[in-house]
């Protein structure tokens, strides 16, 4: 008796597409593309075999000329930032654009206005424009990995280069600032100055930069003998206004705080305004203030702002260098350091009766 065989898979009407192959094999579109278009990014033997079987069963025929056209790249690189008017991103962009210009490339700058969907949209638009590479300079989010990962994967599989600034937990070349280490330096400074009642202006809770800086501070605070649960927290957006409103909220709940650590300098600017103009607190006699990033205006504030310095232009330059030079299979991690800059906004904890 003949052995029964499985019926042949129904062939889609019209030309078979990569999406048809991906759905038939039960894999992502990016994985199907890597297998069938000869990407240098590795795919497990099991998934590769599944894609190969699906292609055979559906009688897939690749479009060589279309693939070749898709791999042609212009002398343009895409740079995506959260806020184009934020000095943090402006400094990173300056470093990146300088390197691109030195290599005869044109930089196309796009701002997401902190909307995650725009990141995906811009990557897809850059793919359609066949730009040579994409540099994402915004902080990663704790839920990175969905649509953004797929869009970047398809861009990379099509021959584009990808680099990131700040932790994203995505498999691409990344420049990593010392966020956790810098925050730990702040904790040690405040403990050494005798502060015990402290508050942190945290920024948006879904940003990985916020998570890294906050965890770095709290872990160090606890290791130095402080009570991490007693640290007062107030969330606001990463802006001057966000820091102002978060400071008012913080002191309404924790009026005995003697030191405020803002997780970026723009929030620290808002904190200084709220403390001195709204709450009538002297800085640093009553409350010390510390920021993070060392933006260009930090030294010119009244009082000058103690902050953690990151080499922002260098970060942008190194990220653009990663875009320009391929590394082969594995993603590279370029670490940059931090430096605590002590200025007039921070002093010893005030004496209390």
């Amino acid at each position: 008796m003949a052995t029964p065989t499985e019926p042949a898979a129904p062939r889609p009407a019209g030309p078979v597409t990569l999406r048809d192959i991906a759905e038939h094999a039960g894999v992502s579109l990016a994985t199907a593309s890597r297998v069938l278009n000869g990407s240098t990014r590795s795919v497990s033997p099991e998934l590769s075999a599944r894609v190969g079987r699906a292609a055979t069963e559906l009688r897939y025929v690749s479009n060589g000329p279309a693939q070749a056209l898709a791999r042609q790249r212009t002398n343009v690189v895409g740079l995506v930032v959260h806020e184009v008017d934020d000095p943090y991103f402006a400094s990173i962009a300056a470093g990146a654009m300088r390197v691109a210009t030195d290599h005869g490339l044109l930089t196309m700058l796009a701002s997401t206005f902190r909307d995650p969907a725009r990141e995906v949209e811009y990557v897809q638009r850059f793919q359609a424009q066949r730009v040579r590479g994409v540099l994402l300079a915004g902080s990663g989010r704790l839920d990175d990995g969905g649509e953004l990962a797929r869009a970047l994967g398809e861009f990379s599989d099509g021959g584009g280069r990808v680099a990131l600034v700040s932790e994203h937990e995505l498999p691409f070349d990344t420049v990593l600032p010392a966020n956790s280490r810098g925050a730990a330096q702040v904790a040690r400074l405040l403990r050494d100055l005798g502060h015990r009642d402290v508050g942190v202006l945290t920024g948006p809770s879904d940003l990985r930069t916020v998570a890294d800086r906050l965890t770095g501070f709290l872990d160090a605070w606890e290791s130095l003998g402080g009570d991490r649960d007693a640290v007062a927290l107030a969330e606001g957006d990463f802006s001057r206004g966000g820091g102002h409103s978060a400071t008012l909220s913080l002191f309404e709940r924790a009026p005995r705080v003697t030191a405020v650590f803002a997780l970026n300098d723009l929030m620290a600017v808002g904190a200084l305004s709220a403390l001195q103009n709204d709450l009538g607190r002297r800085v640093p006699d009553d409350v010390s203030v510390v920021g993070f990033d060392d933006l260009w205006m930090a030294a010119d504030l009244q009082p000058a702002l103690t902050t953690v310095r990151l080499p922002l232009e260098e970060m942008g330059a190194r990220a653009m260098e990663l875009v320009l030079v391929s590394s082969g299979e594995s993603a590279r991690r370029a670490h940059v350091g931090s430096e605590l800059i002590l200025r007039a906004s921070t002093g010893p904890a005030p004496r209390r009766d």
Side-chain angles (χ1 to χ4, degrees):
M1 180 180 296
T3 302
T5 59
E6 294 183 2
R11 193 175 190 276
V16 178
T17 66
L18 273 177
R19 188 172 299 279
D20 295 327
I21 300 298
E23 292 176 355
H24 190 75
V27 300
S28 70
L29 182 60
T31 297
S33 174
R34 289 167 197 155
V35 174
L36 297 175
N37 291 338
S39 169
T40 58
R41 297 181 66 192
S42 61
V43 176
S44 72
E46 178 192 356
L47 293 182
S48 182
R50 282 165 55 183
V51 172
R53 285 195 300 270
T56 299
E57 292 169 359
L58 297 182
R59 299 190 295 280
Y60 172 74
V61 178
S62 65
N63 187 336
Q67 292 175 15
L69 178 62
R71 287 190 172 88
Q72 292 179 6
R73 294 286 155 182
T74 65
N75 285 330
V76 177
V77 288
L79 173 57
V80 182
V81 300
H82 282 178
E83 294 281 0
V84 71
D85 61 347
D86 185 322
Y88 174 90
F89 296 113
S91 297
I92 292 174
M97 295 172 77
R98 184 183 69 248
V99 170
T101 300
D102 289 344
H103 287 78
L105 301 176
L106 175 68
T107 304
M108 188 180 299
L109 181 63
S111 175
T112 68
F113 304 101
R114 299 193 180 274
D115 180 356
R118 288 181 182 268
E119 285 182 325
V120 177
E121 176 187 350
Y122 287 140
V123 171
Q124 293 171 336
R125 287 189 178 187
F126 286 142
Q127 170 73 339
Q129 295 293 325
R130 301 201 303 277
V131 304
R132 177 175 297 190
V134 168
L135 195 168
L136 262 62
S139 171
R141 290 177 171 78
L142 297 179
D143 60 352
D144 271 351
E147 291 298 319
L148 179 59
R150 283 191 288 274
L152 290 172
E154 291 173 10
F155 179 83
S156 176
D157 290 339
R161 298 280 304 125
V162 176
L164 314 170
V165 173
S166 190
E167 183 58 70
H168 287 70
E169 292 190 354
L170 294 171
F172 302 101
D173 293 342
T174 306
V175 173
L176 294 169
N179 285 321
S180 180
R181 178 179 176 272
Q185 292 174 299
V186 175
R188 285 190 290 272
L189 170 67
L190 296 182
R191 293 292 294 184
D192 289 345
L193 290 173
H195 294 279
R196 298 298 179 263
D197 297 311
V198 300
V200 180
L201 309 183
T202 67
S205 59
D206 66 328
L207 293 183
R208 185 159 296 281
T209 294
V210 170
D212 289 347
R213 293 180 183 182
L214 179 60
T215 300
F217 179 87
L218 293 177
D219 286 350
W221 188 257
E222 186 174 45
S223 71
L224 294 167
D227 181 357
R228 69 187 295 141
D229 294 329
V231 175
L233 307 178
E235 181 178 335
D237 60 48
F238 260 177
S239 66
R240 179 194 178 279
H244 185 278
S245 59
T247 300
L248 297 179
S249 173
L250 178 75
F251 277 84
E252 184 176 354
R253 294 182 287 105
R256 292 178 59 84
V257 161
T258 63
V260 172
F261 174 35
L263 295 191
N264 79 349
D265 282 352
L266 287 182
M267 294 191 82
V269 172
L272 287 173
S273 174
L275 287 166
Q276 296 177 121
N277 300 328
D278 296 82
L279 299 175
R281 305 292 183 99
R282 297 169 299 168
V283 178
D285 295 340
D286 300 324
V287 180
S288 290
V289 177
V290 183
F292 204 114
D293 295 329
D294 195 28
L295 301 180
W296 61 266
M297 82 286 284
D300 297 326
L301 298 171
Q302 293 297 326
L305 181 65
T306 294
T307 186
V308 177
R309 174 178 293 166
L310 292 179
L312 298 176
E313 288 198 26
E314 177 190 341
M315 287 161 52
R318 294 185 70 177
M320 186 59 73
E321 289 166 357
L322 293 177
V323 168
L324 297 176
V325 181
S326 175
S327 63
E329 293 291 333
S330 58
R332 294 167 291 183
R333 295 289 184 266
H335 295 268
V336 294
S338 63
E339 180 184 3
L340 182 63
I341 307 299
L342 184 61
R343 297 193 180 106
S345 69
T346 306
R351 291 186 177 183
R352 284 178 171 155
D353 297 332

